[in-house]
Amino acid sequence: MEIQVGKPDITTNLQVQNNKKMWEADSIAIIGASNDPLRIGGRPISYMLQRNYAGRIYPVNPKQETVQGLKAYPDVDSLPETPEIAIIAVSSRMVIKAVEDLGKRGTRLAVILSAGFSEVGEEGRLMQEALIATAKKYGIRVLGPNTLGFYDDRQGLFSTFSSAFELYWPLPGSIAIASQSGAFALHIFCSARNRGIGIPLCVTTGNEADINVADAMIDMVLDPQIQVIGVYLEGLSNADKFIEALRLAKQYRKPVVVMKAGRSEIGQMAAQSHTASIAGDDAVFNAVLEEYAAVRAYSPDEFLDIAYMATKKIYPENNALGVITVSGGAGILISDAAEDLNLPMPELEQNAQASLKEALSFAAVKNPVDCTAQVINQPELADQFLSTMLDTQQYPSILAFFAHAAGTASIEAKLRPELKKAVDKHPDHLFALSIIAEKDTIARYEADGFSVFEDPIRATKAIHHMGVLGTAFARPDALIPFEKKTVAALASTPDEAQAKLILEEAGLQVIPEGIAHDAAEAARLADKFGFPVVMKILSPDIKHKSEIGGVILNVSSIAEVHESYALLLQRAAEKAPSANITGILVAKQVNNAVECIMGVKNDPVFGPVAMFGLGGIHVEVLKDVVLHRCPFSPETARKLILSIRSAAILQGVRGKPAVDIDGLAEQLSRLSVFAAQTQEQIQSVEVNPILAVPGVKGCYIADALIEV
Amino acid sequence: MEIQVGKPDITTNLQVQNNKKMWEADSIAIIGASNDPLRIGGRPISYMLQRNYAGRIYPVNPKQETVQGLKAYPDVDSLPETPEIAIIAVSSRMVIKAVEDLGKRGTRLAVILSAGFSEVGEEGRLMQEALIATAKKYGIRVLGPNTLGFYDDRQGLFSTFSSAFELYWPLPGSIAIASQSGAFALHIFCSARNRGIGIPLCVTTGNEADINVADAMIDMVLDPQIQVIGVYLEGLSNADKFIEALRLAKQYRKPVVVMKAGRSEIGQMAAQSHTASIAGDDAVFNAVLEEYAAVRAYSPDEFLDIAYMATKKIYPENNALGVITVSGGAGILISDAAEDLNLPMPELEQNAQASLKEALSFAAVKNPVDCTAQVINQPELADQFLSTMLDTQQYPSILAFFAHAAGTASIEAKLRPELKKAVDKHPDHLFALSIIAEKDTIARYEADGFSVFEDPIRATKAIHHMGVLGTAFARPDALIPFEKKTVAALASTPDEAQAKLILEEAGLQVIPEGIAHDAAEAARLADKFGFPVVMKILSPDIKHKSEIGGVILNVSSIAEVHESYALLLQRAAEKAPSANITGILVAKQVNNAVECIMGVKNDPVFGPVAMFGLGGIHVEVLKDVVLHRCPFSPETARKLILSIRSAAILQGVRGKPAVDIDGLAEQLSRLSVFAAQTQEQIQSVEVNPILAVPGVKGCYIADALIEV
């Protein structure tokens, strides 16, 4: 994967000539058009007629004179003009012919609703390949096959046979959805519509024989009316394109909200290597999202909560929450949730507290601020309290809990204008309102600038995500430039000493050590490093040294070096008589260290990925690791290291001083650069442990394994 | 707290004579009645008139002839009969007089809506005390003061001034709410009503001067029309009563769903003792809920999801989920969520898979079962697929994801009867349906036996909670009988050796050790235990032995015992010359052990609580501990021990064998019994560490601290 900087390469997306978007068309043909508005070939026509599609609709059906009141044509050749887009709803065996006919006429996009391709086995897969070969020949792009299609309600263009539109039409809005599942995308659409949230554009990609979700995402980023991009994924056919879409979205300050299915299954199928089995590919995927301005949702409700609030385009970089409430209980519940999310709720400044107390002596004024039901008798308190809180500049985000009260007509009439005053004075702030009300009432509060939620905890979580996005938008690209390199003389898997040498050449700090070929040399090395030292048998034929007694710790004198040297050779001769002994490794012994693990691994989807964690049970049992694509800077590495759950151990617990976290960060960054440089040569590197002593500068690789 | 077994003591609850419930009344007076239906003294009358309350309403107001069309009375004395319940809505200074007047006439319950009591400071607190003294004198029960009151819509009885009823009236149902927050309870009511969920009874307890949430809970358990009890808590004024309510609810198989505010605050104010600072009181509260059939919700939506599904009265003891879907993507998302929740989704039996494949060759049949959109063309597949799954007896719970399709009129007409067939054949199973539909459509599916959710992940979580409840209902009471005991001669905090002796007498297993008063005795002890041994200085005056070199490990021979004995005395003489040395502790040294921590502590709210965790960072950094009230059996202890996140370390990691978990459980149970027996004498016991060696039977207390 190449690192791209600067303006996007527009040729990689679906934008077509004349500044027209892929989904835009003045004319559309339906191959296999049906008179029955409930059939696959009938629904798109019926929907477009109902939504007053302004372009020209050309039903193609050799057996009909008219279709749903429109003139029908026997074949593609007889159409009076080249349709910009064609919907194909004929049986799978007739699809290739249709694509060829359309391609010859110069149609831009074929939306192939027909199923029976790669999803049904080998024969279908071959037919899909032939289909794509035909499409490529004529330069016609393909959505599908086996897709539920797309809709763009801004044009009234419905290239889909979903039955969802029997229930609802889309509302105007700025959220678009790109999805690998048709049924699920339309479920989200309906759920959004039910809540009054508009999704004017939705693309479902079916078998992704040509256009994939990432293509659709890029198109949505470049669509000026779209502000938030919702994505549903099951797998990635093109990770580079997906990364490009994320990068572009971040550049355009458009948040991406992702649902991805298959965490559990992928977990089971995780690769064998240590690093991968610890984390699972799903963790790599999350690490990629965190690099960009993308957040992951784990349920449809969470997905919509985030997307809905994101349409406000307010993403606080340093988020903090101010809460105003009519219920002390709700205020405490919100505080609990905010603490769980690490969303700060700083105490209101003293002056402001005093001013609120003056206005209402029995109010709680610290934050959460409880203006009590008194705000219903004195609605002007709403503006006064909110404005006082906002004027302190402490709270980029505000959550107001007014329960059912704000939903009743009599109270809304008095309260809403007061709330609006405060909002209007601070258009750069995020305002959420937790109330129960009818849809019309909610719409009025929304028009005033509030994001409205019934559940205050869901509101709190959405506010939290806006802060995550704000931080992400502000963060410079994490990946740094690098040059490819080749590690010389690296034929097979290197032994421990060789692996350490390679890492040392890459700028990493290995524990002082040397290979001795006689006891005197061992003694010289030990004297050079200082006592105590560790002595280990070195042999490409002995994988598990400690099992044959091949590691001796705490060697504390010249005499003990001589003894240990002889002992190691003796043990090797006894326990592994056929092993080729290449020497005795003498290494400085580091006591009282915190053991850390660093690793890099070529992820099959996302390329080199680095891992950091604490040694022992932290990695193996608790899976407390952090991942990031390579290569990255020491600053990024530092943030990663401090983001593990047990970071307190590195920062010093029980009165111990911190370890050299900057040193660890430097090492991790260098390892990430090395991984990127050598990704075509080296499959994985595991540094386990790297030792960092509390209160001591520096950290040292004590063991390393490189897989080629 | 006494352990209660068998039938509840009915006299402790609010049930009154003639089998009438506390909230039931044929006559009700409103002291401070108002003509204005929007005022505190006017709303209850207005609501009861609108809801056709069948009893007699007596407005009391000396200035009015009539109130809202009803004959008004100048005072309590002039009422034509004794009102069973009275609502008091006069200024705080007039409340005591009103209670006295009512008490004299024999009114049963006063609902004091008036504020201005303990919530406003010392003067109010004293007035509240006087109020309660008056009430006690006449035997009149009090709800409040400073309460939003209660409603029981089954009678049309509205003893509340909440404005929520401007928006909605309650629906029939079997959920009741007992809440310490009025505003929050009514928020929940409105949110439920908005979803079509009925809450016919709601009691808010205000200042809890007399009736508290636990009283209300007990009343709800004994109310035959109530099936699910929702509770909102901020604190507990009477933990014994709360436990009694939980115990009674479990006995009656009525689930309790709890929201409790103040996790973060309580965390900050956690007690100083080690055990408490690790866990926080909130963890003790959760441990108490887990003892009974109570689940905790962390947001209003989660609260309602659980309560709503619980009204079905189906709580699978060994829950497992079968999923049928029209969207492969949704199926995978549900599987992911189920795995997160440890909710099993076993693969469908092979025969059943074959049968489904025969019916629909391209269906996915393992579980999740994907019957694809084909079910819309062939609705009989719904019954066929579901029945095949159910007949295997693999799935006590079923989640069917039919997206928006099942919500459209044309599809509902064909699909719903097919689904109903399957449900009707299995009335003991839990059926959830994830669809998008209008409220009327949802109501029809609900009438057929489905719990209906828009979000399939929320449905999955609710199903998970039904299993948690099922397991809880099936579990026998965890607390076991015990007799109080007194530890003889326990004047002040005992030293390590004394603490261990006390625990040994309580049946716990202490590491073999003895006190030597000369080197020869030390040598005899060492010889008896076997080498190596640990030797420690013993002195009530030396708290931190290791700081003065007062602990010597790895003493491996008789000669070394003599050397170490002298060395310890020498160090004590040098570093702590004034200390009274009571001997030298000689103990067997246990190597390669897993270090565990056990503790018991008198919780100020819930009495003796036991804690178990792994030593070191597990407790201090990761807070991976489990808590349970004392005393409990070894079986319970075993379950607790295996429920820590890092239980894998006890069960054996990296090829190591397991430690003696039964042995640990036995010790933990004995410690819990000891804590219960001695709770009036001993404040806390901390056993840190207790050592368990992988592959070795037994576990041994290596150090212990008892606080009196």
Side-chain angles (χ1 to χ4, degrees):
Chain A
M1 200 168 305
E2 297 294 313
I3 307 305
Q4 300 186 11
V5 178
K7 270 284 155 191
D9 174 9
I10 301 289
T11 61
T12 59
N13 65 56
L14 305 179
Q15 206 96 355
V16 291
Q17 289 178 329
N18 309 326
N19 242 344
K20 207 170 228 180
K21 287 185 288 289
M22 181 54 89
W23 321 117
E24 223 171 335
D26 291 326
S27 57
I28 188 158
I30 298 89
I31 319 300
S34 169
N35 247 325
D36 181 347
L38 295 183
R39 293 191 62 118
I40 292 184
R43 283 190 188 266
I45 298 170
S46 162
Y47 293 154
M48 286 192 277
L49 290 174
Q50 290 179 70
R51 292 302 276 174
N52 301 314
Y53 169 62
R56 295 164 300 280
I57 305 174
Y58 298 116
V60 174
N61 185 328
K63 295 177 188 156
Q64 307 281 342
E65 288 289 307
T66 63
V67 166
Q68 298 187 43
L70 298 169
K71 174 173 165 53
Y73 298 84
D75 50 36
V76 171
D77 289 345
S78 55
L79 293 176
E81 66 173 317
T82 298
E84 291 191 69
I85 295 180
I87 299 168
I88 299 181
V90 294
S91 82
S92 57
R93 273 177 302 276
M94 293 163 67
V95 168
I96 294 178
K97 171 74 168 62
V99 168
E100 182 154 36
D101 293 347
L102 291 161
K104 279 182 184 159
R105 290 218 48 175
T107 294
R108 170 167 32 102
L109 172 66
V111 179
I112 304 178
L113 307 182
S114 318
F117 292 87
S118 69
E119 81 279 8
V120 297
E122 184 58 15
E123 198 188 336
R125 196 187 61 75
L126 291 172
M127 198 152 66
Q128 184 168 312
E129 276 183 18
L131 157 67
I132 289 305
T134 305
K136 282 219 171 109
K137 186 168 148 198
Y138 295 102
I140 180 170
R141 301 297 301 263
V142 168
L143 184 66
N146 188 32
T147 174
L148 203 59
F150 78 90
Y151 72 77
D152 182 347
D153 191 54
R154 298 167 299 182
Q155 306 171 71
L157 201 167
F158 285 72
S159 169
T160 171
F161 62 99
S162 170
S163 60
F165 308 103
E166 284 186 50
L167 276 176
Y168 306 111
W169 295 114
L171 294 173
S174 58
I175 301 172
I177 286 183
S179 173
Q180 287 178 338
S181 162
F184 196 73
L186 273 296
H187 178 79
I188 292 280
F189 155 72
C190 288
S191 189
R193 180 62 179 72
N194 217 2
R195 283 173 66 175
I197 299 172
I199 301 181
L201 174 64
C202 175
V203 178
T204 78
T205 52
N207 289 0
E208 295 198 340
D210 173 17
I211 293 172
N212 61 36
V213 156
D215 290 315
M217 288 168 68
I218 291 171
D219 186 68
M220 290 162 180
V221 173
L222 299 173
D223 186 327
Q225 288 167 41
I226 297 303
Q227 176 55 29
V228 180
I229 297 151
V231 176
Y232 171 86
L233 280 176
E234 288 171 11
L236 275 179
S237 56
N238 187 337
D240 286 4
K241 183 65 74 70
F242 180 66
I243 296 274
E244 191 198 330
L246 290 178
R247 198 177 56 77
L248 202 63
K250 185 178 165 198
Q251 194 175 322
Y252 277 71
R253 285 185 74 81
K254 298 194 178 182
V256 178
V257 188
V258 180
M259 288 199 76
K260 182 166 183 291
R263 283 180 287 142
S264 47
E265 210 171 344
I266 286 174
Q268 287 156 15
M269 298 190 302
Q272 282 78 359
S273 125
H274 192 62
T275 306
S277 68
I278 292 160
D281 290 357
D282 200 62
V284 175
F285 181 77
N286 281 345
V288 169
L289 295 189
E290 279 168 26
E291 262 184 69
Y292 296 96
V295 294
R296 182 142 175 203
Y298 291 93
S299 71
D301 276 352
E302 194 184 13
F303 182 91
L304 283 176
D305 287 349
I306 299 169
Y308 163 66
M309 191 174 259
T311 59
K312 283 280 159 58
K313 301 200 216 179
I314 295 170
Y315 316 110
E317 186 181 339
N318 297 300
N319 206 5
L321 177 63
V323 175
I324 182 167
T325 165
V326 292
S327 152
I332 310 172
L333 284 171
I334 293 164
S335 309
D336 289 348
E339 185 169 291
D340 289 347
L341 296 162
N342 288 321
L343 171 60
M345 279 185 57
E347 185 178 330
L348 187 63
E349 279 175 9
Q350 291 299 326
N351 286 348
Q353 286 195 32
S355 145
L356 296 185
K357 272 282 179 201
E358 205 170 303
L360 187 66
S361 65
F362 50 88
V365 294
K366 290 190 172 181
N367 186 31
V369 166
D370 184 0
C371 60
T372 80
Q374 187 61 25
V375 75
I376 289 158
N377 300 325
Q378 284 179 262
E380 68 279 9
L381 287 177
D383 174 30
Q384 188 180 347
F385 271 53
L386 265 180
S387 296
T388 303
M389 293 172 76
L390 287 160
D391 287 345
T392 66
Q393 302 291 336
Q394 290 179 282
Y395 310 112
S397 301
I398 290 285
L399 172 54
F401 178 87
F402 284 107
H404 57 275
T408 56
S410 62
I411 296 169
E412 183 207 342
K414 297 181 292 176
L415 184 65
R416 197 162 57 75
E418 295 297 326
L419 289 171
K420 188 172 188 317
K421 280 184 204 165
V423 173
D424 285 347
K425 280 178 270 185
H426 299 274
D428 54 337
H429 282 59
L430 199 57
F431 290 93
L433 188 64
S434 174
I435 59 166
I436 314 238
E438 299 293 343
K439 281 178 184 171
D440 293 349
T441 314
I442 290 172
R444 287 190 293 273
Y445 282 106
E446 285 178 333
D448 287 352
F450 283 100
S451 299
V452 180
F453 292 79
E454 245 187 50
D455 185 320
I457 305 305
R458 282 171 63 181
T460 307
K461 288 178 180 169
I463 289 169
H464 156 72
H465 279 113
M466 296 308 106
V468 170
L469 288 169
T471 309
F473 282 127
R475 196 168 41 214
D477 276 0
L479 297 201
I480 58 178
F482 69 97
E483 281 173 17
K484 295 216 166 164
K485 277 192 184 161
T486 303
V487 179
L490 188 68
S492 64
T493 299
D495 72 17
E496 178 186 337
Q498 289 164 336
K500 285 173 172 170
L501 260 181
I502 291 166
L503 294 177
E504 204 158 37
E505 278 163 21
L508 280 94
Q509 198 150 14
V510 172
I511 223 160
E513 68 178 23
I515 304 171
H517 297 91
D518 57 45
E521 195 178 1
R524 273 197 304 277
L525 286 167
D527 192 50
K528 181 174 134 199
F529 305 143
F531 289 102
V533 294
V534 185
M535 293 174 65
K536 307 183 198 178
I537 200 90
L538 197 62
S539 163
D541 306 322
I542 301 174
K543 293 276 172 213
H544 302 288
K545 292 183 277 283
S546 53
E547 286 178 10
I548 65 149
V551 179
I552 300 178
L553 296 167
N554 282 316
V555 181
S556 303
S557 67
I558 297 289
E560 283 183 33
V561 171
H562 282 271
E563 269 171 45
S564 301
Y565 193 95
L567 195 57
L568 284 171
L569 291 183
Q570 183 194 328
R571 285 176 182 169
E574 282 168 15
K575 306 267 177 68
S578 61
N580 172 29
I581 307 299
T582 46
I584 299 292
L585 201 63
V586 180
K588 183 162 177 58
Q589 180 166 325
V590 177
N591 287 323
N592 305 314
V594 177
E595 294 195 3
C596 305
I597 298 184
M598 291 181 183
V600 287
K601 181 182 166 290
N602 277 337
D603 183 83
V605 178
F606 290 107
V609 173
M611 182 271 277
F612 175 85
L614 294 180
I617 57 118
H618 291 277
V619 167
E620 289 175 25
V621 178
L622 305 170
K623 314 229 185 297
D624 181 15
V625 297
V626 63
L627 303 171
H628 199 285
R629 284 196 308 145
C630 302
F632 48 82
S633 69
E635 292 72 44
T636 301
R638 189 185 158 83
K639 282 182 201 154
L640 291 173
I641 289 169
L642 291 177
S643 72
I644 62 169
R645 292 197 302 276
S646 305
I649 292 171
L650 298 170
Q651 292 166 303
V653 280
R654 299 201 88 172
K656 281 188 191 169
V659 305
D660 181 3
I661 293 169
D662 287 337
L664 283 172
E666 185 66 43
Q667 303 290 301
L668 184 58
S669 166
R670 285 182 186 180
L671 184 61
S672 78
V673 173
F674 175 72
Q677 289 174 329
T678 62
Q679 67 170 295
E680 277 150 33
Q681 205 179 3
I682 290 177
Q683 171 55 24
S684 72
V685 180
E686 186 172 318
V687 171
N688 181 6
I690 179 165
L691 302 171
V693 180
V696 174
K697 204 165 160 56
C699 53
Y700 299 93
I701 294 172
D703 201 349
L705 181 69
I706 293 182
E707 286 186 327
V708 177
Chain B
M1 199 169 306
E2 298 293 310
I3 307 306
Q4 300 187 11
V5 179
K7 271 283 156 192
D9 174 9
I10 301 288
T11 61
T12 59
N13 66 57
L14 306 179
Q15 206 98 357
V16 290
Q17 290 178 328
N18 308 325
N19 241 346
K20 206 170 231 181
K21 287 184 288 289
M22 180 55 88
W23 321 118
E24 223 171 336
D26 292 325
S27 58
I28 188 159
I30 297 91
I31 320 301
S34 170
N35 248 325
D36 181 347
L38 296 182
R39 294 192 61 117
I40 292 185
R43 284 190 189 265
I45 299 170
S46 160
Y47 294 154
M48 286 192 277
L49 291 173
Q50 291 180 68
R51 292 302 274 176
N52 301 314
Y53 169 62
R56 296 161 303 278
I57 304 173
Y58 298 115
V60 174
N61 186 329
K63 295 177 188 158
Q64 307 281 344
E65 289 288 307
T66 64
V67 166
Q68 299 187 43
L70 298 169
K71 174 173 166 48
Y73 299 84
D75 50 35
V76 170
D77 288 346
S78 54
L79 293 175
E81 66 173 315
T82 297
E84 291 192 66
I85 294 181
I87 300 168
I88 300 183
V90 294
S91 83
S92 58
R93 274 178 300 276
M94 296 162 66
V95 168
I96 294 179
K97 172 74 167 66
V99 168
E100 182 153 36
D101 293 348
L102 291 160
K104 280 182 185 159
R105 290 217 49 171
T107 296
R108 172 168 28 104
L109 171 66
V111 180
I112 304 179
L113 307 181
S114 318
F117 292 87
S118 68
E119 80 280 8
V120 296
E122 184 59 13
E123 198 188 337
R125 195 186 61 75
L126 292 171
M127 198 154 64
Q128 184 167 314
E129 276 183 17
L131 157 68
I132 290 305
T134 305
K136 283 217 170 113
K137 187 167 144 197
Y138 295 101
I140 180 171
R141 300 297 302 263
V142 168
L143 184 66
N146 187 31
T147 175
L148 202 59
F150 79 89
Y151 72 77
D152 182 347
D153 191 54
R154 297 167 300 181
Q155 306 171 70
L157 202 166
F158 285 73
S159 170
T160 170
F161 62 99
S162 169
S163 60
F165 308 102
E166 284 186 48
L167 276 176
Y168 306 112
W169 295 114
L171 294 173
S174 58
I175 301 171
I177 287 183
S179 172
Q180 287 178 339
S181 162
F184 196 74
L186 272 297
H187 178 79
I188 292 279
F189 156 72
C190 288
S191 189
R193 180 61 180 73
N194 216 2
R195 281 173 65 176
I197 300 172
I199 301 180
L201 174 64
C202 175
V203 178
T204 78
T205 53
N207 289 1
E208 296 198 340
D210 174 15
I211 293 171
N212 61 36
V213 156
D215 290 313
M217 288 168 68
I218 291 171
D219 186 68
M220 290 162 181
V221 173
L222 300 173
D223 187 326
Q225 288 167 40
I226 298 303
Q227 175 56 28
V228 180
I229 297 151
V231 176
Y232 171 87
L233 281 177
E234 288 170 12
L236 276 180
S237 56
N238 186 338
D240 286 4
K241 183 65 74 69
F242 181 66
I243 296 274
E244 191 198 328
L246 291 178
R247 198 178 55 78
L248 202 63
K250 184 179 165 197
Q251 195 176 322
Y252 277 70
R253 284 185 73 82
K254 298 193 177 181
V256 178
V257 188
V258 180
M259 288 197 77
K260 183 167 183 292
R263 283 180 286 141
S264 46
E265 212 172 341
I266 287 175
Q268 286 156 19
M269 298 190 302
Q272 282 77 359
S273 123
H274 192 64
T275 306
S277 68
I278 292 160
D281 290 357
D282 200 63
V284 174
F285 181 78
N286 281 345
V288 170
L289 295 188
E290 280 168 26
E291 262 185 68
Y292 296 96
V295 293
R296 183 142 175 203
Y298 291 92
S299 70
D301 276 352
E302 193 184 14
F303 182 92
L304 283 175
D305 287 350
I306 299 168
Y308 163 66
M309 191 173 260
T311 59
K312 282 283 159 58
K313 301 199 218 181
I314 296 170
Y315 316 109
E317 186 180 336
N318 297 300
N319 207 3
L321 177 62
V323 175
I324 182 167
T325 165
V326 292
S327 151
I332 309 172
L333 285 170
I334 293 164
S335 308
D336 290 348
E339 186 169 290
D340 289 347
L341 296 161
N342 288 321
L343 172 60
M345 280 185 55
E347 184 177 332
L348 187 63
E349 279 175 8
Q350 291 300 328
N351 286 348
Q353 286 195 33
S355 145
L356 296 186
K357 272 281 179 203
E358 206 170 304
L360 187 67
S361 64
F362 50 88
V365 294
K366 290 190 174 181
N367 185 31
V369 167
D370 184 0
C371 59
T372 79
Q374 187 62 24
V375 75
I376 289 158
N377 300 325
Q378 285 179 260
E380 68 279 8
L381 287 177
D383 174 30
Q384 188 179 349
F385 271 52
L386 265 181
S387 294
T388 303
M389 293 172 77
L390 287 160
D391 287 346
T392 67
Q393 302 291 337
Q394 291 179 282
Y395 311 112
S397 300
I398 290 284
L399 172 54
F401 178 86
F402 284 107
H404 57 274
T408 56
S410 61
I411 297 169
E412 184 207 341
K414 298 181 293 177
L415 184 64
R416 198 162 57 75
E418 295 297 328
L419 289 170
K420 188 172 189 313
K421 279 185 204 165
V423 173
D424 284 348
K425 281 178 268 184
H426 299 272
D428 55 336
H429 282 59
L430 200 55
F431 290 93
L433 187 64
S434 174
I435 58 166
I436 315 240
E438 299 294 342
K439 282 178 184 171
D440 293 348
T441 313
I442 290 171
R444 286 190 293 272
Y445 281 106
E446 285 177 333
D448 287 352
F450 283 100
S451 299
V452 180
F453 291 79
E454 246 187 49
D455 185 320
I457 306 305
R458 283 171 62 181
T460 308
K461 288 178 180 169
I463 289 168
H464 157 71
H465 279 113
M466 295 309 106
V468 170
L469 287 169
T471 309
F473 281 127
R475 194 167 45 214
D477 275 0
L479 296 201
I480 58 178
F482 70 97
E483 280 171 21
K484 295 214 168 164
K485 276 192 184 163
T486 304
V487 180
L490 188 69
S492 62
T493 299
D495 72 17
E496 178 184 339
Q498 289 165 334
K500 286 173 172 170
L501 259 181
I502 291 166
L503 294 177
E504 203 157 39
E505 278 164 22
L508 281 93
Q509 198 149 16
V510 172
I511 223 162
E513 69 178 19
I515 304 170
H517 296 92
D518 56 47
E521 196 179 359
R524 274 195 305 277
L525 286 167
D527 192 52
K528 183 173 133 197
F529 305 142
F531 290 102
V533 295
V534 184
M535 292 173 66
K536 307 182 197 177
I537 200 90
L538 196 62
S539 163
D541 305 323
I542 301 173
K543 293 277 172 211
H544 302 289
K545 292 183 277 282
S546 53
E547 286 178 9
I548 65 151
V551 180
I552 299 178
L553 296 166
N554 282 316
V555 180
S556 303
S557 67
I558 296 290
E560 283 182 32
V561 171
H562 282 271
E563 270 170 45
S564 302
Y565 193 93
L567 195 57
L568 285 171
L569 290 184
Q570 182 193 328
R571 284 175 181 169
E574 280 168 15
K575 305 268 176 67
S578 61
N580 173 29
I581 308 299
T582 47
I584 298 293
L585 201 64
V586 181
K588 183 163 178 60
Q589 180 167 325
V590 177
N591 289 322
N592 305 315
V594 176
E595 294 195 1
C596 305
I597 298 184
M598 292 180 183
V600 286
K601 182 183 166 289
N602 278 338
D603 183 83
V605 179
F606 290 108
V609 173
M611 181 270 277
F612 176 84
L614 294 180
I617 58 116
H618 292 277
V619 167
E620 289 175 27
V621 179
L622 305 170
K623 312 227 187 297
D624 181 15
V625 297
V626 63
L627 303 171
H628 198 285
R629 285 194 309 145
C630 303
F632 47 82
S633 69
E635 292 72 44
T636 301
R638 190 186 157 84
K639 283 182 200 154
L640 291 173
I641 289 169
L642 291 177
S643 72
I644 61 168
R645 294 198 300 277
S646 306
I649 293 171
L650 298 170
Q651 292 167 304
V653 280
R654 299 201 88 169
K656 280 189 191 167
V659 305
D660 180 4
I661 294 169
D662 286 337
L664 282 172
E666 185 66 42
Q667 303 290 300
L668 184 59
S669 166
R670 286 183 186 178
L671 184 61
S672 78
V673 173
F674 175 71
Q677 289 174 330
T678 62
Q679 67 170 297
E680 277 149 34
Q681 207 180 2
I682 289 176
Q683 172 54 24
S684 71
V685 180
E686 187 174 318
V687 171
N688 181 8
I690 179 166
L691 301 171
V693 180
V696 174
K697 201 164 163 55
C699 53
Y700 298 94
I701 295 172
D703 202 348
L705 182 69
I706 293 181
E707 286 186 327
V708 177

